[in-house]
Amino acid sequence: MSGRRTALRVLCAPDKLRGAVDAAGAARALADGVREAAGVPCELPVADGGEGTLDAIVEATRGATVHVVTVADALGRPRAARLAELPGDLFVVEAAEAVPLHALADSERDPAGASSAGVGELIAAALDRGARRLLVAVGGTATLDGGAGLLHALGAGGPRDGAGLLAFGASDPSLPRAGSEPAAPDLAAVDARLRDVEIELLSDVDAPLTGPHGTAHRFGPQKGATPDHVVALDAALRRWAAALGIDPATPGAGAAGGIGAALQALGARTRAGAEAVLDLVGFDALLADA
């Protein structure tokens, strides 16, 4: 025997470490360690359906084209957001590109005033470019409007933001309201092009829409909701689920402040974001060689 050792191949496939480093930076750090140990690294940043999903897919997918469009951020200000076009008329929309929580200062976080309309605008931009299949990655958003803004931007009418959601169907005068009560959304009026598009909701959480484990209770405080707001929003989201004709207990409905519920109402199939990303970036094939 020669005594020679074959260099160890190591697949470095981390997600982001929120607040510290993105997935690409984490993969580079892991790869540096592998090289120091005389190994051969393969860097494969991944994601779970939240922030960084678009980057992970574009980085690992040949033939991807990134489009930059101007949409409304969570507070209605213009924001440059990306969407990715892949072969086969497949488009990736990342909600956090349009309405990211990290882009707001703590003092700006306001679930009553925030709207998911920018995500609807990103979806419309994908339709304008010929999308036949949509992967909508949710997570990391500043919104808690049940996807009302998204649906409004796509033509459904109804509430435009968190304040409109709170006012929607409210009969208790103690609940926060914003002017006159908004009309119910009309899902039949949503952009007709969506009828011919397959939508997959890539969720980073399996949270239901309402209840103690729902989106208001689990994620409201980090988005600026006070305890009173959490209670009011949870009640409003129950009314919202009834208007959309969905079960608020459905896993993933509470993703991204309820954007998951709006997409499910449009017929989206819910899928674990991590699973979808690993498939798209070819994780299994790379793992077999590591």
Side-chain angles (χ1 to χ4, degrees), residues 186-204:
D186 180 4
L187 295 180
V190 165
D191 194 318
R193 294 175 294 179
L194 280 171
R195 297 170 192 163
D196 299 319
V197 174
E198 177 186 346
I199 308 173
E200 285 192 24
L201 162 63
L202 307 188
S203 176
D204 62 344

Side-chain angles (χ1 to χ4, degrees), residues 136-240:
V136 186
V138 298
T141 71
T143 58
L144 253 170
D145 67 350
L150 179 155
L151 292 176
H152 194 281
L154 290 172
R160 297 171 180 263
D161 53 23
L165 176 73
L166 285 163
F168 176 73
S171 57
D172 183 345
S174 68
L175 291 176
R177 303 174 72 95
S180 59
E181 188 172 289
D186 180 4
L187 295 180
V190 165
D191 194 318
R193 294 175 294 179
L194 280 171
R195 297 170 192 163
D196 299 319
V197 174
E198 177 186 346
I199 308 173
E200 285 192 24
L201 162 63
L202 307 188
S203 176
D204 62 344
V205 296
D206 60 1
L209 186 62
T210 62
H213 302 293
T215 190
H217 285 277
R218 283 184 63 179
F219 306 114
Q222 73 182 30
K223 301 185 185 194
T226 65
D228 288 343
H229 255 138
V230 167
V231 173
L233 284 163
D234 191 64
L237 288 165
R238 285 197 298 272
R239 300 190 299 271
W240 184 239

Side-chain angles (χ1 to χ4, degrees), residues 41-64:
C42 173
E43 296 179 37
L44 185 71
V46 296
D48 61 0
E51 312 101 301
T53 295
L54 185 144
D55 284 332
I57 292 173
V58 169
E59 178 73 20
T61 306
R62 293 181 179 179

Side-chain angles (χ1 to χ4, degrees), residues 3-89:
R4 294 183 60 187
R5 298 177 60 186
T6 301
L8 188 68
R9 287 184 55 83
V10 180
L11 179 58
C12 304
D15 193 358
K16 63 187 173 296
L17 282 74
R18 181 174 285 148
V21 65
D22 62 15
R28 285 194 299 271
L30 291 171
D32 288 344
V34 171
R35 292 187 190 95
E36 289 180 10
V40 178
C42 173
E43 296 179 37
L44 185 71
V46 296
D48 61 0
E51 312 101 301
T53 295
L54 185 144
D55 284 332
I57 292 173
V58 169
E59 178 73 20
T61 306
R62 293 181 179 179
T65 301
V66 175
H67 303 280
V68 180
V69 298
T70 300
V71 301
D73 78 353
L75 301 182
R77 303 170 299 198
R79 176 179 173 82
R82 300 171 300 158
L83 67 155
E85 179 180 357
L86 279 62
D89 297 327

